[in-house]
Amino acid sequence: MTDSWTLTETPCAFNRRLGTDALFTLGNGYMGCRGFFEEEQEGVEGLGGIYMAGVFGKGALKAWKGMHRELVNTPNVFWLSIKVDGESVLVRPRRISGYLRTLDMRGGTMARSFTWKGSRGARIRLEFERFVSAANLHLAGQRLRITPLDGPARIEVAAGIDASVRQHNMETTLPLPIQPGRQHLETRFSRDGMIETRVATLPRGVRIAEGQEVRMLGPKGPVAGKPVAFPGRAAERFVFTCPRNATARMSKLVHFFTSRDGNAMALLRKSMKKGMDYDSLLSAHRRAWASRWKMADIEIEGAPDDQRALRFNLFQLMQACPEHDSRVSLGARGLSGEMHEGSVFWDNEIFKLPFFTFTRPNATRSMLRFRHRTLPEARRHARDLWFEGAMYAWKSGDDGVEETEMGVGAYYAIHIVADIAYALRQYWEATGDDDFMARYGAEILVETARFWQSRIYYDPIRKTHNILAVRGPNEYDVIVNNNCYTNMMARENIRYALEAMVLMKKRYPAAWRRLSVRLKLDAREPAAWRRSARGLLICRDRKGGLYLEDDMYLHRAPFDMKRGKTDGRRVIDGNLPYEAMAHYQITKQSDVITMMNLLPWMFTTGQMRAAYAFYEPKTVHDSSLSYAPHAVMAARLGMKREAYRYFRDCAYLDIADIQLNTISGLHFANLGGTWQAVIQGFAGLYQHGNILRLAPHLPRAWKALRFRVCYRGAILRVEMRGHKTAVTLERPGAEPSVLMIGGRRIRLSRKGESATA
Amino acid sequence: MTDSWTLTETPCAFNRRLGTDALFTLGNGYMGCRGFFEEEQEGVEGLGGIYMAGVFGKGALKAWKGMHRELVNTPNVFWLSIKVDGESVLVRPRRISGYLRTLDMRGGTMARSFTWKGSRGARIRLEFERFVSAANLHLAGQRLRITPLDGPARIEVAAGIDASVRQHNMETTLPLPIQPGRQHLETRFSRDGMIETRVATLPRGVRIAEGQEVRMLGPKGPVAGKPVAFPGRAAERFVFTCPRNATARMSKLVHFFTSRDGNAMALLRKSMKKGMDYDSLLSAHRRAWASRWKMADIEIEGAPDDQRALRFNLFQLMQACPEHDSRVSLGARGLSGEMHEGSVFWDNEIFKLPFFTFTRPNATRSMLRFRHRTLPEARRHARDLWFEGAMYAWKSGDDGVEETEMGVGAYYAIHIVADIAYALRQYWEATGDDDFMARYGAEILVETARFWQSRIYYDPIRKTHNILAVRGPNEYDVIVNNNCYTNMMARENIRYALEAMVLMKKRYPAAWRRLSVRLKLDAREPAAWRRSARGLLICRDRKGGLYLEDDMYLHRAPFDMKRGKTDGRRVIDGNLPYEAMAHYQITKQSDVITMMNLLPWMFTTGQMRAAYAFYEPKTVHDSSLSYAPHAVMAARLGMKREAYRYFRDCAYLDIADIQLNTISGLHFANLGGTWQAVIQGFAGLYQHGNILRLAPHLPRAWKALRFRVCYRGAILRVEMRGHKTAVTLERPGAEPSVLMIGGRRIRLSRKGESATA
């Protein structure tokens, strides 16, 4: 814990060694690499844990339709075997001292070092370093330093790419125990330090081509390596003797391509001809990270622990984002683990995208294009269920097919459709990217509005428009009618479609005509949408102050929280089965509160207070998506202590393993949620009517908060200190930036212009 | 189709040979034996299909709690291998002529005969017969006659007990294809024609001891057999030459016991020492059937096909009933197949028990005792779900543990609790068996009333008592609140408990005191029950004429029947997934209609008409439990044509394989439903206030209907002809029999006394 840029682990957690691997994940959006030990050990540590965006195999669950997919554990490109005087270097108690694992978040590197004592007592110092290049998506680097401390030692190091890895589990939904699971890879070729594998479990599985360049600098100069033949592994072995206190240095570059890039082997061969060196690649990598941090970093004055935790969340979020490839999006565990099979859910749009939208809008654009690419599947899904337009999959792999098992509720959890529309609209307002709207956004909005139009049922008896049989963000509600979140968001979705239509007609009439023809849009459709949106039932209690999660929430039995939530485990894992939940007033995770955070301009403070006071005590937080919305809402309501407590639940969720399953990957929605807690909560940021709003609600422990925001092409630097907010226009956009800070309207147009409120 | 007592099959259905095996099932409640071919064939026919009440193994599904069980396919005691001139007798097209399979329902035997032509053209006539003794639960008989028609033939017959059988499928819920599934049996002993096996998949699995006595009478007198050694099979082989047109006769008796009876091997040895012969055993068997039929038969004049179909239904119902053993009850497929794993559901009490209650009340008594025996499990289940009293398992094996998988809705389908109470109360009223009430019934009623008391939620806002989160008989409703069937039946359940209390206090004060102390019954409980029952919400439409299936039924979207039900398949198997159902006004099977049939005195004709008119067009009959209630209701409403159509759907459901899964066993609820359609529908029978009511509504095609009813110890013979009903008191009970026929009150007290109305 040396500084607020470094996450450290010391001493070695022998008993739960893999438990913290996810925290030390490195990645560049193309590849994610858990912080596993490189050197071969005795158990499941050899499984590695490297994932590549879009590399899926056939999973074990029974998909709604089609074939269930899971993110594939790809070859361990950092595989090492180290022997000293014929003895394997194994990380065992009493053999290891001075153990330290560090994640340098500023530079994007991971390091590990320890002193190992052989069975005859001689000590050896080992130092590892690795990175996955942020400057070149297809490269990674690894370094090893070995120093005998007590006398000369005979060193044997084999460095390779190991394709004999398996998934981390047989059961895809259980975090523990990690044990060798399905094997997806078939090795097709292995020579000259290059290996080509194929995901054999899918009919046209991706091919992966990987190659290594290893250099070993012994005490007397370069050591020549020899290829080691071993099935499914491309490796080179170095054997030499190293005197006391002399250091041998191995450096290795890895190149990787897949058939998703083109001819993977050809690309690999070309790349390996370039002749890169470790140090210059690492420098380029560090420069790339410095540039990323410049825009994304948030500085907290007065709370170094919070500062470090916050940076950890942002760092991991940035690392996994597949900004380069709109054929994929960001899974629930990113590229840091196998839970949820690498699939994309609603939380991508609602929890992760805001960070990118306001700091790196191109990343959002790419992930929204993924949703546009999967429109055909969403249309098919709607049609299969007798609806119109596009019904996005609740759980989507790379092809957009619904991967939730039948019966598990995908049919009900349709708010995802509106969540995508919301994120799209949020991106459009925050960037003014009309081109995106014209090319992709309008089509999504029209098709999702159509879906709602067919899914909304007009009840001729009650004379209301209803959305029946849904599951809101509160997944313990099993099925309800008129979930407030779903209905409000569906209404927004329709409004956004109508708004997009106006824009299109005005700015892109020809494109709009083409789209209308292609979608066979009837001129009467928009009016029908408008009627539905207007008529949609939004349930409130009789006095009108309390928005009701669904039309029966108040009429269910009160839940005995003391009996139901007795420990850290989820209620359904401990005390009461899922089926029983529909009987009770119990909220698994924020539902109305999340909705209010998304549309804050629609609610009075009184309504927000009422919702918080009513739902917060009924919420069991059995999801990682629950803390951040509570932090945001509490902050906006000025409940500083509660807001700070919820912020800490978010910020430390993975570091402290609050949900007991970080071993299976980081909680990406919560990473984004941590940003939301700080920026949308403590800094009170939201946009409405092309005005960016800010309102400081800093925790008492924080002296100041500094961050940057991208807004409609401009870059704004914000500093909050107590109740004061200073904003500087660091880079102007095409139009002046309009802000509302604590009720004061501010207009900034010149570079460097500042305002304080 | 020679007479109305015989079910026949001709010619041979080569392509779907196993498809009709279930129709030809024989049994005695202890053992059920499908009509499979005895002689070894080339494929899955060798799997046999013999089940024994209470013999369960570990199933494949994941039970709610404990271990999922499935009825075990026990050794094939009728196994034969027949060779003629060295060639196996295989039932193949072009080799078989004159094929006939018959089920003699009057005598309880199955016969099969055909002429087989060998590859050299010589023809052999084979005739098989078998029965499972109704006179002795532990015996069965088999006979084979072989006659060479074209010249002398060398005959080899091996007869044995084959324990190498497996389940009929891997997937327990799929009817097709039949293929060798799990193996449950382990052979522990095999010698001297005796074999002992053990269900090895459960920790303390049942042991089965079986033995055979085989006699072969060749053309020249007895042929000596030789034991054949083969793992898992006890068999004897007979080899001899038979001249043209001479007949060799094999007869075999099988003895069977299980460890549920005591020391199975000792019992077997004792039984085999008795020296029975086939013919006298068969005579005793036939006498037992004649006596059964005397009480249970229903005669229809003018419709021989209906007569046969009706007898088929009654025959199968009687055959499977484990009247001798209150540790088991009657599964959804009886002992005729493996679907639903031999488990007992609500339909046992609501669809099957009425037949027994009014024709063989001791059988009902035994099956209700099964529910009393499983009270401890029902109590545990209630406690686990935070309720009180006893919550019976939706799906129960022999131990009463909930075997439904978690998530499949057992938590919701709680009407079973009240269904058991209803059947109990029906039995008590129909028999006046106060002793049963005192020993078992009162305890069940108190514990189930307590369950409802804890499950009913008083909504302080609406000021109503609700039963939330349930699934009614209409299983397409997924989850609803205030299902009318459930609420009405729960109310009845509470009333019955209060009524039983009054009886107990008056007639069995000491037993009542003991029970109250044991159950820790608080004196204030009954008043609370009464309040809940009184306050329970029973939903009707605004005008009050239509009882609503649940409080949202009217407010769901109309269902497009043309699109949803395009063929014989269930909607969920073809057109729309289960999850989508909660969106629609769709009724899988009769719900409100079944409720009205159960409590007819509570509804006006207008209310019944309204319900029928409203629900019938919305009902897809995707369950075999749907036709009978519609037949009953239509008959009672005088809708003769519709009633008759629904009656035929019931009566021929298995014979015509209307649900496409009779291969996996007969639909036992529907067998009982057929009785209900005739007796409760066409004969209008129901009891209320200790008065038996009858009202003829015969189909036009039926000239007359004759049947007997057991009622409060009396036996009444009823004959209906047109609108006339004649009742004769064949055996008086302890008190005069009071009847109400078409509005006329009749009192019969002397034996032979008649009345006409």
Side-chain angles (χ1 to χ4, degrees), chain A residues 151-168:
Chain A
R154 184 174 166 78
I155 312 282
E156 278 181 70
V157 174
I161 299 173
D162 179 18
S164 69
V165 294
R166 291 166 171 266
Q167 295 299 103
H168 277 191

Side-chain angles (χ1 to χ4, degrees), chain B residues 70-176:
Chain B
E70 67 185 3
L71 202 56
V72 166
N73 187 12
T74 66
N76 179 356
V77 294
F78 293 131
W79 180 84
L80 289 176
S81 161
I82 307 174
K83 284 187 182 169
V84 175
D85 294 331
E87 189 178 354
S88 287
V89 172
L90 300 177
V91 179
R92 285 181 178 170
R94 284 186 301 277
R95 290 301 189 82
I96 296 294
S97 58
Y99 172 94
L100 180 69
R101 181 155 57 163
T102 57
L103 181 70
D104 172 1
M105 299 183 280
R106 196 200 303 247
T109 59
M110 191 198 110
R112 187 162 51 92
S113 57
F114 56 87
T115 300
W116 175 81
K117 194 163 70 178
S119 57
R120 282 170 299 241
R123 292 169 310 141
I124 309 286
R125 183 75 189 154
L126 293 113
E127 293 157 288
F128 303 79
E129 181 186 70
R130 67 196 199 217
F131 66 93
V132 177
S133 175
N136 184 327
L137 293 177
H138 302 283
L139 287 169
Q142 180 185 31
R143 193 148 60 183
L144 166 65
R145 295 152 64 101
I146 307 186
T147 313
L149 300 180
D150 294 323
R154 186 177 165 74
I155 312 284
E156 278 182 71
V157 174
I161 299 173
D162 179 17
S164 69
V165 294
R166 291 165 170 266
Q167 294 301 100
H168 277 188
N169 227 317
M170 292 303 288
E171 299 278 347
T172 49
T173 50
L174 293 177
L176 284 168

Side-chain angles (χ1 to χ4, degrees), chain A residues 407-409 411-412 455 459 555 579, chain B residues 407-409 411-412 459 555 579:
Chain A
V408 177
Y411 178 88
Y412 314 128
R455 186 67 166 76
D459 178 350
H555 302 287
E579 285 190 27
Chain B
V408 176
Y411 179 88
Y412 314 129
D459 177 350
H555 302 289
E579 285 189 29

Side-chain angles (χ1 to χ4, degrees), chain A residues 64 383-387 404-412 454-457 459-462 466-469 477-479 481-482 542 551-552 554-560 563-565 571 575-585, chain B residues 64 383-387 404-412 454-457 459-462 466-469 477-479 481-482 542 551-552 554-560 563-565 571 575-585:
Chain A
W64 179 290
R383 243 183 1 254
D384 285 352
L385 295 172
W386 301 16
F387 298 115
T404 313
E405 284 176 276
M406 189 83 80
V408 177
Y411 178 88
Y412 314 128
S454 65
R455 186 67 166 76
I456 291 168
Y457 169 60
D459 178 350
I461 301 170
R462 290 190 180 157
N466 302 301
I467 304 183
L468 302 172
D477 60 13
V478 189
I479 321 177
N481 298 315
N482 294 310
R542 279 184 203 170
D551 59 12
M552 274 296 293
L554 276 184
H555 302 287
R556 287 198 279 273
F559 182 76
D560 181 347
R563 189 173 179 187
K565 188 82 177 176
V571 176
N575 291 302
L576 211 53
Y578 179 70
E579 285 190 27
M581 297 305 171
H583 192 76
Y584 295 106
Q585 290 182 31
Chain B
W64 179 289
R383 244 183 359 255
D384 286 352
L385 296 171
W386 302 13
F387 297 116
T404 314
E405 286 175 276
M406 190 82 79
V408 176
Y411 179 88
Y412 314 129
S454 65
R455 186 68 166 73
I456 291 168
Y457 169 61
D459 177 350
I461 300 170
R462 291 189 180 157
N466 302 302
I467 305 182
L468 303 172
D477 59 14
V478 189
I479 322 179
N481 297 315
N482 294 312
R542 278 184 204 172
D551 59 11
M552 273 297 291
L554 276 184
H555 302 289
R556 287 198 279 271
F559 182 75
D560 182 346
R563 189 173 178 187
K565 188 82 179 176
V571 176
N575 290 299
L576 211 52
Y578 179 71
E579 285 189 29
M581 296 306 168
H583 192 74
Y584 295 106
Q585 291 181 28

